[in-house]
Amino acid sequence: MTLCILAGGKALALAVGTFTLSWTHSVQHTTWWERWEVTGTGLRPVEARVTSAGAGMEAPPDAILEPDGWHYFPKLPLQREVFLAASGATLGGWTLCAEGACREIGATEGAPIRLWVAPGCDG
């Protein structure tokens, strides 16, 4: 399957099995990181890390504190699509990494970024 990304009016197709998302919280200025699995029917969050708590960034009770932050396994169901805000009011956009390459998306104000899985990325 293909990870489809619609950002800034442009579509991008990535043939990947997993990807990561990271961003800096606009108030706390700490990093949040997530690893996602691309399946035939959607996107599954499989691992997450937050470097510190505060301002809506509390780690769940079962999170484990490691030197680089609180690690946990999200208890969310498979997602058919994911939308990421693009407010332009944060310290940067989202960093999406897959297959050894990273790209910043949503750094400027605009429509939300859409992520979904499809055989082709035409809608």
Side-chain angles (χ1 to χ4, degrees):
M1 293 310 289
T2 301
L3 171 64
C4 302
I5 305 163
L6 181 61
K10 297 179 183 177
L12 175 65
L14 300 174
V16 298
T18 64
F19 66 94
T20 64
L21 284 173
S22 61
W23 65 96
T24 301
H25 192 276
S26 61
V27 175
Q28 294 298 122
H29 300 243
T30 57
T31 303
W32 195 294
W33 175 94
E34 296 174 339
R35 183 168 56 87
W36 290 75
E37 179 180 70
V38 179
T39 76
T41 55
L43 303 167
R44 181 184 326 279
V46 294
E47 182 182 6
R49 178 178 67 236
V50 60
T51 55
S52 67
M57 296 181 63
E58 293 77 19
D62 61 344
I64 298 169
L65 181 59
E66 299 284 343
D68 61 347
W70 292 95
H71 291 245
Y72 65 97
F73 301 98
K75 293 178 176 74
L76 294 173
L78 188 74
Q79 305 292 300
R80 292 183 47 86
E81 59 188 349
V82 173
F83 290 92
L84 308 172
S87 70
T90 60
L91 299 174
W94 303 82
T95 301
L96 187 145
C97 300
E99 301 290 320
C102 296
R103 56 190 48 84
E104 186 178 40
I105 54 177
T108 57
E109 182 178 1
I113 298 147
R114 179 181 175 217
L115 308 177
W116 77 101
V117 176
C121 296
D122 48 357

